[in-house]
Amino acid sequence: MSNHPYLRAYMAGISVPTPLLLIPLTLFFIARFVYNFPVPVERAVIFPMAIIPNLFGAWNMLYLASHARTRLPLGIHGAILPFIIAPAGFFLGRSLGFLHTTNIGFTYFGVVQIPYAFLAIVFPVALGIYYLVWKYLIGFFNQVVGIAE
């Protein structure tokens, strides 16, 4: 099964975030249309739903391409991804005008306040989650498609 290893790596990478993103999409729709929460779903959810799976697929392709040289474990490789996603999301939010910084934290869409202390706790937790997702879930799908270590 040596045909198209990068295509298989891409498909293994997108297999985890694609179904998992249905959960926040459902929660946003319930919050917006049932409870009239004033966050525009189009801007808050649709763009990440297009970018995150593709980023996971491309990141898995990069892992496959670089694994022969670096021998970096898959979990560590996946835990590096939030260091790319977080700054990219910050700069994108600032440039599109829906993220504002204040003295105490960030404000999304002028409605949602996120304090810096919360981010200091959540980011290490996100690193751990990314490590586990990449080590076990993406690793499993890499084995399924035949590109495991």
Side-chain angles (χ1 to χ4, degrees), residues 19-105:
L20 289 180
L21 281 172
L22 293 176
I23 296 167
L25 179 65
T26 303
L27 295 175
F28 267 105
F29 280 148
I30 290 171
R32 175 72 190 264
F33 298 118
V34 175
Y35 296 107
N36 295 321
F37 192 68
V39 174
V41 174
E42 308 79 40
R43 288 193 256 165
V45 175
I46 302 303
F47 186 73
M49 290 206 53
I51 294 297
I52 298 297
N54 288 312
L55 190 57
F56 268 60
W59 198 247
N60 202 28
M61 289 170 52
L62 180 65
Y63 172 75
L64 180 64
S66 67
H67 184 66
R69 291 182 302 258
T70 62
R71 298 284 182 201
L72 188 66
L74 183 60
I76 301 295
H77 180 78
I80 295 171
L81 194 55
F83 288 103
I84 296 169
I85 292 174
F90 174 78
F91 289 121
L92 183 67
R94 291 282 296 173
S95 65
L96 294 177
F98 59 83
L99 173 67
H100 301 286
T101 57
T102 63
N103 292 339
I104 58 169

Side-chain angles (χ1 to χ4, degrees), residues 75 78-83 121-133:
I80 295 171
L81 194 55
F83 288 103
I121 294 169
V122 168
F123 191 73
V125 171
L127 290 177
I129 290 170
Y130 268 70
Y131 174 81
L132 294 173
V133 163

